Amino acid sequence: MYFTSIISFVIILFIQHTYEQDQDSVPNSYEIREHSINRPYPGVFSTGSSHWHLVGNTLVTDRYIRLTSDSQSKAGGLWNMIPVAYPDWEMHVNFKVHGTGKELFGDGFVIWYARDPKLSGPVFGYQDYFHGLAIIMDTYSNHNGPHNHAHPYISAMVNNGSLHYDHDRDGTHTIVNGCEAPFRGRETDTLVAIRYQNDRLTISTDIEGKNVWKECFSASDVHLPSHYYFGFTSATGDLSDNHDIISVHTYQLETSEQRRNEDRKNIIPNAPGAEAERAHTEDPSGSGWSALKIFFLILFLVIVCLGVGIGAYYYMNKRQYHRARFY
Ligand SMILES: *[C@@H]1O[C@H](CO)[C@@H](O)[C@H](O)[C@H]1NC(C)=O
Ligand SMILES: [Ca+2]
C-alpha cells in the first residue's frame, strides 16, 4: 500500500538522519592524529619534537589544557604546528568554560584556522588583522546596549588581514554568522564541531549532554586556503574564567577530484560576512528544519491526504446511494 510504504520510507529517512548526527561517526573520513589531542596528554609539551605548542599562561594537567585560569589579565594559546594539507576537514573540540563568577565572567576563547600560529594580541589572546578563520566562543557581552542575541554566543569571522575585530561590539560587524549557545558552567561535556567542506562552513554544538549534534549555523561561499594552522587562544581582563580544552579530534573529509587538484595554498580568505560592514546580524533562531519537524509535516500531509480521500470516497458512495433511491 502507498500509505505504509510512504510512512516506512519517511521513518527510514528519519532514522538515517538521526544516525548521521551521532557525534562519533563522521562519514567518509578518517582521523588525523597529528591534528588531534586527547587524554592522557602524552608528555607532548615537554619534548622538542612536539607538534603542539603552548603560548603564554597555558598550562597542562592530566585532565585538561587550560588556556587561562580564573584570574585577571591572563592570556594563553595552544597551537598545532603541522599545516593542514587537506582541503576538507571536520574538528570536534571538547572544551569547558567555568569559573566562580555568577554575573561577571569572561571573555571566552577562539578556535583558529590561521596563517600564523603562536602570535599574541588583543583578540582573545591572538593578533588582530589576522589571516584565516576564527570561531569565537564569546561568553561576555561587551556591547553597550542590547544585542539581538544573548551570550554565550558562537560566531565565525573570516579575515584576509584587513579586518579589525571590534571587541566593544563583540565583532557583530564582521560576523559570517552565529548562534546562541549556553555552554558555560555545564555539568556535562560541552563540544563544538567545525566542518569545512566544499566551501561550506558548518558549526554544531553538543552542550546538553545528549550526545547529539545540534546545528548552530551553516554558511556557503566560505573560501579558505590549505596549509593554515589550528589553534586555540583565550584571554582574561578585568573579567576571568577557566578556559579549558579537553580534547581535539580532527578528521580529513572526502574531497572531490577537482578540488584536490586545485592549488589551494594561495586562496585569500573570504566569506560573505567579510564583504561589507553590516549594521546588525540576522537572528539565526528558527532557521533550518529539523528532521523531526520534517517528519511530522510529512505525516500531517499524509493524514490530510488520507482524510480527503476517505471523505471523497464516502461522499461519492452517498451520492450513488441517493441516486439509487431516485431511480
Ligand atoms: C580583503 O578583505 C576586504 C574586506 O572584506 C576587501 O575589501 C579586500 O578587497 C580584500 N583584499 C583582498 C586582497 O582580497
Ligand atoms: Ca565579548
Side-chain angles (χ1 to χ4, degrees):
M1 258 195 77
Y2 253 142
F3 180 71
T4 25
S5 52
I6 286 172
I7 287 292
S8 40
F9 179 67
V10 166
I11 287 173
I12 287 166
L13 270 186
F14 175 66
I15 290 168
Q16 264 185 0
H17 190 97
T18 316
Y19 180 72
E20 275 172 17
Q21 294 216 323
D22 189 279
Q23 60 173 241
D24 296 324
S25 66
V26 180
N28 303 320
S29 70
Y30 50 95
E31 185 166 0
I32 305 296
R33 275 187 48 212
E34 287 77 12
H35 294 137
S36 301
I37 189 163
N38 205 359
R39 285 185 296 209
Y41 315 115
V44 285
F45 304 106
S46 50
T47 67
S49 60
S50 169
H51 45 259
W52 288 95
H53 191 98
L54 303 184
V55 177
N57 302 119
T58 303
L59 60 91
V60 183
T61 75
D62 55 346
R63 284 174 298 134
Y64 50 76
I65 299 163
R66 182 156 286 175
L67 301 172
T68 78
S69 55
D70 190 2
S71 55
Q72 291 184 336
S73 303
K74 301 282 181 207
L78 167 69
W79 284 92
N80 187 279
M81 298 313 298
I82 299 177
V84 180
Y86 40 95
D88 298 303
W89 45 266
E90 178 162 338
M91 178 190 267
H92 297 175
V93 183
N94 186 345
F95 64 94
K96 197 168 177 68
V97 178
H98 58 113
T100 51
K102 292 271 183 291
E103 299 281 326
L104 295 174
F105 45 79
D107 280 294
F109 71 102
V110 173
I111 302 167
W112 299 96
Y113 177 64
R115 190 186 71 180
D116 310 300
K118 298 196 286 186
L119 299 179
S120 306
V123 183
F124 295 85
Y126 187 65
Q127 73 164 9
D128 201 359
Y129 301 100
F130 60 89
H131 292 256
L133 167 72
I135 304 300
I136 302 163
M137 315 286 287
D138 190 354
T139 47
Y140 185 72
S141 173
N142 299 76
H143 191 67
N144 196 5
H147 274 303
N148 56 358
H149 63 75
H151 280 247
Y153 191 73
I154 300 177
S155 65
M157 176 175 173
V158 171
N159 201 348
N160 64 12
S162 74
L163 294 175
H164 163 57
Y165 176 79
D166 189 347
H167 251 299
D168 296 335
R169 288 161 167 170
D170 300 302
T172 42
H173 290 200
T174 48
I175 193 173
V176 174
N177 207 335
C179 78
E180 296 171 10
F183 56 75
R184 184 184 181 271
R186 290 271 176 175
E187 289 301 320
T188 53
D189 286 351
T190 46
L191 294 99
V192 60
I194 303 153
R195 176 186 294 170
Y196 181 64
Q197 190 172 34
N198 290 323
D199 298 336
R200 174 171 284 278
L201 176 70
T202 305
I203 309 298
S204 307
T205 58
D206 171 12
I207 57 176
E208 285 162 9
K210 290 182 189 158
N211 211 33
V212 265
W213 293 114
K214 179 181 169 196
E215 186 170 304
C216 170
F217 69 84
S218 188
S220 54
D221 294 318
V222 175
H223 301 279
L224 297 170
S226 62
H227 294 83
Y228 275 18
Y229 297 87
F230 290 127
F232 307 84
T233 69
S234 179
T236 61
D238 293 338
L239 305 175
S240 67
D241 245 345
N242 298 301
H243 298 97
D244 301 343
I245 303 295
I246 313 292
S247 71
V248 178
H249 294 281
T250 303
Y251 305 89
Q252 177 175 350
L253 302 181
E254 204 170 39
T255 297
S256 67
E257 185 81 28
Q258 185 211 337
R259 203 167 151 85
R260 237 192 335 258
N261 294 332
E262 280 168 5
D263 174 21
R264 302 195 57 83
K265 224 171 169 169
N266 297 312
I267 290 170
I268 295 168
N270 178 37
E275 291 298 328
E277 292 218 329
R278 298 195 312 193
H280 65 100
T281 60
E282 300 143 37
D283 186 356
S285 68
S287 67
W289 284 55
S290 71
L292 204 62
K293 258 195 232 166
I294 292 170
F295 172 73
F296 279 115
L297 182 78
I298 291 173
L299 192 66
F300 175 74
L301 287 177
V302 166
I303 288 170
V304 166
C305 288
L306 210 66
V308 169
I310 290 169
Y313 176 77
Y314 277 108
Y315 178 70
M316 297 303 277
N317 266 5
K318 216 168 174 193
R319 274 180 57 132
Q320 264 166 15
Y321 171 70
H322 280 299
R323 253 189 255 143
R325 280 214 313 183
F326 283 132
Y327 290 98

